[in-house]
Amino acid sequence: MPPNRSSPLLMTSVSDVEEAAAALREGADVLDVKDPREGSLGACPPAVLRAVVALRDRAAAAGRRVPVSAALGDAPNRPGTFALAASGAAACGVDYLKIGLRGVREQDDSAVFLSAIVEAARAVAPGVRVVAAAYAEAAALGSIEPMLLPDVATRSGADGCLIDTAFKDGRTLFDHLDLSTVSGFVAACRRRGLLCGLAGSLGPDHLPLLLELGPDVIGVRGAICEGGRSGRLDPRRLSSLREALLGAIAGRRPPGA
């Protein structure tokens, strides 16, 4: 999943191996394993993570390798605790680790926290990539502002950045942040060669805007589940969203391209 792709990948959040299998069948580009009941970046049990990684390996043996991302959580600033969690998740064989910086506000503190995660993960799995997440509601949370995140990620040796929403109350990323702020975030990631992701109650109506912004990955959960993000993944909704994304990408190509 190289940074600064010409078209974004669809990062599909799954809560167990059954949802992961359905997501694979419907063409998900990245399997993002989390427990929605534990928050925006809630971590799943290790057994679930290992089962999804095994599913990925079977798919790879059949000719299609889809990266697996694991959410580590977004709890307060406890670098030792989360470094240990990062080690455990990296040992499960994931490709990406996502860590929320909800518990820290200042850049220096954020860099110390994130550096501990990066160091611990790579000590176990040198090839694993770490993605740091900031929240669109940073001002209300008292956490680090998204625009500061690319600098923190670069200082910490992380591989990418993500903006998500912390409060899953129906408001989207674009209800909290204006277009210029999100565009600036994407540009800052691009200048530093960082993977860039956008998430936060995104759905089909946001696709034209997202393609204009040009992130590397688009994270989805609520839009592809029956009854919202806490419900079960609906393969038909995922298929419809993927088709809409492919259609929107095709619509942006010049004639004859």
Side-chain angles (χ1 to χ4, degrees):
M1 188 161 51
N4 309 324
R5 291 170 46 86
S6 59
S7 59
L9 298 175
L10 195 60
M11 183 171 67
T12 305
S13 291
V14 298
S15 62
D16 55 38
V17 70
E18 289 79 16
E19 287 193 350
L24 272 177
R25 288 194 299 271
E26 299 303 331
D29 296 309
V30 183
L31 299 176
D32 181 37
V33 191
K34 66 172 62 170
D35 186 342
R37 299 169 299 179
E38 294 200 6
S40 179
L41 292 179
C44 71
V48 171
L49 193 53
R50 287 193 292 268
V52 175
V53 168
L55 176 70
R56 175 206 67 191
D57 292 343
R58 292 194 296 273
R64 181 174 181 236
R65 193 183 192 285
V66 175
V68 173
S69 168
L72 294 180
D74 53 12
N77 183 12
R78 292 173 182 160
T81 299
F82 281 91
L84 185 59
S87 294
C92 290
V94 300
D95 302 281
Y96 292 87
L97 296 175
K98 292 194 309 177
I99 179 68
L101 301 187
R102 182 168 177 170
V104 285
R105 183 184 187 94
E106 303 300 328
Q107 284 179 270
D108 289 345
D109 292 339
S110 298
V112 170
F113 178 87
L114 187 55
S115 294
I117 304 301
V118 171
E119 181 179 356
R122 290 188 183 148
V124 174
V128 73
R129 297 186 180 184
V130 177
V131 176
Y135 294 95
E137 310 96 321
L141 292 170
S143 61
I144 188 167
E145 293 288 343
M147 282 303 298
L148 301 177
L149 192 60
D151 180 65
V152 168
T154 300
R155 290 169 57 187
S156 306
D159 302 280
C161 300
L162 169 76
I163 305 180
D164 202 346
T165 52
F167 304 126
K168 303 302 181 180
D169 55 8
R171 290 179 291 175
T172 75
L173 170 68
F174 299 107
D175 291 323
H176 296 287
L177 297 177
D178 60 36
L179 182 59
S180 63
T181 299
V182 181
S183 178
F185 171 81
V186 174
C189 290
R190 193 172 289 138
R191 286 194 301 271
R192 293 167 172 81
L194 295 168
L195 178 74
C196 177
L198 298 177
S201 300
L202 301 175
D205 292 345
H206 299 111
L207 293 177
L209 180 55
L210 289 165
L211 290 180
E212 180 182 336
L213 290 166
D216 299 302
V217 295
I218 299 169
V220 295
R221 172 72 188 176
I224 59 171
C225 290
E226 183 70 36
R229 72 186 301 270
S230 296
R232 297 294 295 171
L233 186 146
D234 182 346
R236 293 171 299 179
R237 295 187 184 206
L238 175 55
S239 177
S240 177
L241 181 63
R242 179 166 174 75
E243 289 301 315
L245 175 60
L246 293 175
I249 291 170
R252 288 177 58 85
R253 293 188 183 126

